[in-house]
Amino acid sequence: MSHVNNLESQHNDPAFANIWQELTWRGLVHVSTDETELEKLLAGDPITYYCGFDPTAPSLHLGNLVQLLLMRRLQLAGHKPLGLVGGSTGLIGDPRPTAERTLNTKDTVAEWVGYLQGQVRRFLSFEGDNAARMVNNLDWTAPLSAIDFLREIGKHFRVGTMLRKDAVASRLHSDEGISYTEFSYQILQGMDYLQLFHDYNCVLQTGGSDQWGNLTSGTELIRKVEGKSVHALGTPLITNSDGTKFGKSEGNAVWLDPDMCSPYTFYQFWLNTADADVVDRLKVFTFLSRAEIEALGEAVAERPFAREGQKKLAYEVTSLVHGVDATEKVIAASAALFGNGDLTVLDERTLEAATAELPSATINADGLGIIDLLVASGLSESKSAARRTVGEGGAYVNNTKVSDPDAVIARDELLHGRYLLLRRGKKNLATIEVSA
């Protein structure tokens, strides 16, 4: 389902005279070909621009989300996006700074192309005068022979220039080195820009600043082949204020696919944003206006305990990626875990995601006495400790207080026929899964 309707148009925000000023204020411009010319270009008649995404995994991640939202901002300002999913570049792999990529099979890459195209489509509008288009670079590279590639494209690239690209240079000085396959990646990306320039008069490519060498390979190729100047815009790599890498949760990438990162986990990632980072995240990852973001910034500074900025950030970004309904379920699950909502209304998937990090145990149906449950879950160290907890009014099953130490939980009280949420006091939680 498209989430485009959740993306509020802010290109008419009175705080900005044009889209370039808004992008600058949001911290989205780290490097570009010519700031003055780009500002004029984006303030004029609609242009066609593109951003590429390689299917090196079955899902996009938070780094890609920066580009998707940048594409949408430019579209809201009236410009025409091309979403490129690299069916051919995904077969090669952009050089990583440390080691050679493992090449995926053609069937795997083709499957992932479909997944990524679906994700890109959710952030762009494919209707109206500036409707987006999806393109796949396999369409123009597959028919090209090696001889034609070398004669028509390769002759325009100088090896000395290619060697100076950051990713290539770092690999050359590593123990692993770099293969000719990955060394050639920048030529393929440059060819993409030339092809889109020919087919759609595309004059702007966007990407992360770590891709700057690949971005400029296209601008240089077009200059040499066509004698025309086109543009590139590199967004900054986002880091946390404490120096840690942004976009990781428990050491793993935060994916946009709900099967790889649940909406609950996704929401919690944003909710845990540090106070020092929240305003910058609101600028980059939401479509809130400057006035709204500045007001939230004041709230964070004056009432940090209220977490207003983090709550708004988590709601907005989760709604953009997973939809409002999923976000509302996540919020309901968060409240229900601590007794402020009805656990029985949570769907099984949301419940599992919300309780995934809690201590858990699996028992058979004969062990549903409250004392045995508290001990099995680890919430009580012994049966005597469990009895004290019950006697002191601190034992809860599915948010219902249990006052009788001899109580046995009925099978019909199991959530989705197999789960129990136990709580000791206000904050100590655990789950029990009851086997058949």
Side-chain angles (χ1 to χ4, degrees):
M1 183 184 74
S2 172
H3 296 163
V4 167
N5 291 337
N6 296 332
L7 308 184
E8 297 186 37
S9 171
Q10 294 295 334
H11 63 276
N12 59 352
D13 188 333
F16 303 102
N18 56 48
I19 184 61
W20 181 261
Q21 290 183 8
E22 180 174 355
L23 297 181
T24 301
W25 176 77
R26 290 183 181 273
L28 288 167
V29 181
H30 179 74
V31 62
S32 66
T33 42
D34 187 321
E35 288 195 15
T36 302
E37 286 301 315
L38 261 176
E39 182 170 3
K40 289 180 182 177
L41 189 69
L42 293 174
D45 294 335
I47 64 163
T48 298
Y49 62 98
Y50 95 98
C51 184
F53 306 90
D54 276 348
T56 52
S59 174
L60 298 174
H61 52 72
L62 288 191
N64 304 126
L65 183 60
V66 177
Q67 304 307 321
L68 290 169
L69 298 182
L70 172 59
M71 292 183 77
R72 181 57 178 160
R73 293 183 205 283
L74 290 170
Q75 186 178 32
L76 289 170
H79 302 295
K80 303 175 183 179
L82 298 170
L84 184 150
V85 177
S88 63
T89 43
L91 291 167
I92 302 301
D94 183 19
R96 293 183 299 187
T98 54
E100 194 87 5
R101 290 181 183 273
T102 299
L103 296 180
N104 296 302
T105 67
K106 291 183 178 180
D107 287 344
T108 296
V109 172
E111 183 178 9
W112 289 354
V113 165
Y115 294 161
L116 266 58
Q117 286 178 335
Q119 290 183 326
V120 172
R121 285 182 180 278
R122 285 169 19 209
F123 293 89
L124 301 172
S125 172
F126 288 78
E127 301 175 351
D129 294 337
N130 63 332
R133 293 186 179 94
M134 291 294 302
V135 292
N136 182 344
N137 54 22
L138 191 63
D139 293 341
W140 55 82
T141 53
L144 192 64
S145 73
I147 295 298
D148 288 340
F149 174 70
L150 292 172
R151 284 177 57 87
E152 297 174 13
I153 304 298
K155 69 178 181 180
H156 296 291
F157 286 81
R158 294 296 172 261
V159 172
T161 302
M162 295 174 70
L163 290 173
R164 290 193 293 271
K165 305 295 186 185
D166 289 343
V168 173
S170 62
R171 284 282 291 282
L172 284 174
H173 294 94
S174 70
D175 293 337
E176 178 125 0
I178 186 169
S179 70
Y180 180 75
T181 299
E182 289 195 3
F183 180 64
S184 303
Y185 181 93
Q186 59 186 285
I187 300 180
L188 290 174
Q189 186 163 334
M191 188 172 70
D192 288 345
Y193 201 168
L194 178 63
Q195 186 74 36
L196 297 176
F197 176 79
H198 286 160
D199 292 351
Y200 301 102
N201 192 30
C202 179
V203 294
L204 172 63
Q205 181 184 182
T206 68
S209 58
D210 60 333
Q211 292 283 311
W212 188 244
N214 293 328
L215 299 180
T216 54
S217 70
T219 61
E220 282 299 296
L221 181 60
I222 292 170
R223 183 184 64 80
K224 291 176 180 178
V225 174
E226 300 295 339
K228 301 288 181 64
S229 293
V230 293
H231 295 278
L233 188 162
T235 58
L237 297 184
I238 298 175
T239 57
N240 296 323
S241 58
D242 61 5
T244 57
K245 189 171 183 179
F246 169 78
K248 301 284 185 179
S249 178
E250 305 299 325
N252 299 313
V254 179
W255 302 99
L256 305 189
D257 187 316
D259 291 327
M260 295 175 68
C261 179
S262 71
Y264 183 89
T265 301
F266 190 86
Y267 181 91
Q268 292 298 321
F269 171 83
W270 295 102
L271 197 62
N272 290 329
T273 301
D275 291 345
D277 295 321
V278 68
V279 170
D280 287 343
R281 300 292 180 267
L282 286 163
K283 289 179 179 179
V284 171
F285 291 100
T286 78
F287 287 79
L288 299 176
S289 69
R290 180 171 186 166
E292 290 172 302
I293 292 173
E294 289 177 344
L296 287 167
E298 291 177 4
V300 170
E302 296 171 3
R303 301 180 299 278
F305 56 87
R307 311 283 289 173
E308 291 176 52
Q310 285 87 345
K311 290 176 182 177
K312 186 64 171 176
L313 175 66
Y315 180 87
E316 291 292 321
V317 187
T318 309
S319 296
L320 289 175
V321 174
H322 296 296
V324 172
D325 288 346
T327 305
E328 298 289 357
K329 287 181 180 179
V330 164
I331 294 172
S334 299
L337 284 188
F338 295 97
N340 297 316
D342 185 358
L343 286 166
T344 63
V345 303
L346 302 182
D347 63 84
E348 187 169 1
R349 187 174 178 184
T350 301
L351 178 67
E352 289 177 347
T355 58
E357 303 300 321
L358 297 178
S360 62
T362 300
I363 64 172
N364 60 44
D366 296 326
L368 295 181
I370 183 60
I371 301 303
D372 291 334
L373 289 173
L374 288 170
V375 174
S377 68
L379 290 179
S380 295
E381 296 179 356
S382 64
K383 289 188 176 183
S384 58
R387 288 184 177 277
R388 284 197 301 274
T389 295
V390 174
E392 293 168 358
Y396 296 81
V397 176
N398 296 342
N399 288 338
T400 299
K401 182 183 289 189
V402 179
S403 302
D404 180 2
D406 296 320
V408 176
I409 308 306
R411 287 296 298 258
D412 60 9
E413 294 182 62
L414 299 179
L415 301 170
H416 302 288
R418 58 180 178 148
Y419 297 112
L420 291 171
L421 178 71
L422 303 186
R423 178 158 50 92
R424 190 188 83 234
K426 292 184 177 180
K427 295 185 178 181
N428 297 296
L429 297 168
T431 57
I432 293 288
E433 182 175 357
V434 180
S435 58

